[in-house]
Amino acid sequence: MKLLVTGASGFVGSHLVELASKEGYEVHAAVRKSSDISSIKPYVYKFHDIDLAPDKLSSFFETERYDYVIHAAAMTKAKSESHIMAANVALTERLLGAAFGCSVPPQRFVFVSSLAAIGPVGYNDEDITDDADYRPVTLYGRSKRAAEEMIKQKFTDKPISIIRPTAVYGPREKDLFILFDTMNKGLDAYIGRAPQKLSFVYVKDLIQVLLNACTAPQPVSASFNITDGHVYSRYAMAEIFKQTFTKKLVRLHVPYALVKRAAQLSAWIFRNSTKTPVIYPERLGELTAQNWSCDISKAKHILHYQPKYDLAEGLRESLLWYKDNKWF
């Protein structure tokens, strides 16, 4: 079966094409010319630097005639709302229009969204369900919400699965690695002292459910939240780090007001830069959110999703990969 993966050279995409190839798919990878494709070359049948002009895009899908498309490419940070909306909403709409406008459309289009599109809930609230109200707290989350709303408004009769993973971790992931690198230096730092309920998913579990979503019988259009099925305290990752490396960490709680001022200062310093600081006001709201716990029963029932890794097992495997590959 012919599968197109966008964002194939990224963190999730690179793991996805490897698994898809091993499961017998003819994997086509949509990548930019500047992308490093060395690690995924063995698993990709054909690479494409797709021309995004509407007529070229339509011709591309008409020629290739994919059985499945997994759209994993996304912009996670941007200085401009128009920039991130163009990347995460307008481009998704163009891909969908071209894919379903050809004479032999894909059997299923899997859109990789994010739990950020829904946003967090209060500490004592019920778990986040697949049909929960949207309340994103970041620009990235708002762009994913806009993409989901566009799909529901314009492509409601097309076979599309919306997959919303929570925080994804695993080998080669760079954002959470910053946290692990800090721990490796002996510091276990937190913003404030308020308790949190956190959720995670190991990349190996996520890519399996993405492939399941291609072939599992399901409603024409459906949305699924994805976690490993557990809820963790804010200290869980540090405890696993200490157990994995038998390392002592100094735990530090930085007052929220102090971090907020630092986030505002960072935003001001980077105001004319094309780069985004590590901590900025919106990101602070996401990092200190009270509750990201999810109900994944729908994904288990319809997509046959059975996560194999809890945080202890998945994070231990990831940390050892970072060490073996000399990331720290």
Side-chain angles (χ1 to χ4, degrees), residues 61-62 65-66 99 102-106:
F61 277 101
E62 189 64 53
R65 300 192 175 192
Y66 290 107
C102 68
S103 59
V104 183

Side-chain angles (χ1 to χ4, degrees), residues 13-55:
S14 62
H15 286 275
L16 177 60
V17 297
E18 180 177 351
L19 178 63
S21 175
K22 290 177 179 178
E23 292 200 356
Y25 288 88
E26 180 185 304
V27 180
H28 290 221
V31 295
R32 295 188 298 266
K33 288 181 179 179
S34 59
S35 299
D36 180 1
I37 60 173
S38 56
S39 66
I40 61 173
K41 266 188 175 180
Y43 312 109
V44 175
Y45 180 82
K46 187 186 292 187
F47 287 95
H48 299 279
D49 179 19
I50 301 175
D51 190 326
L52 300 176
D55 58 333

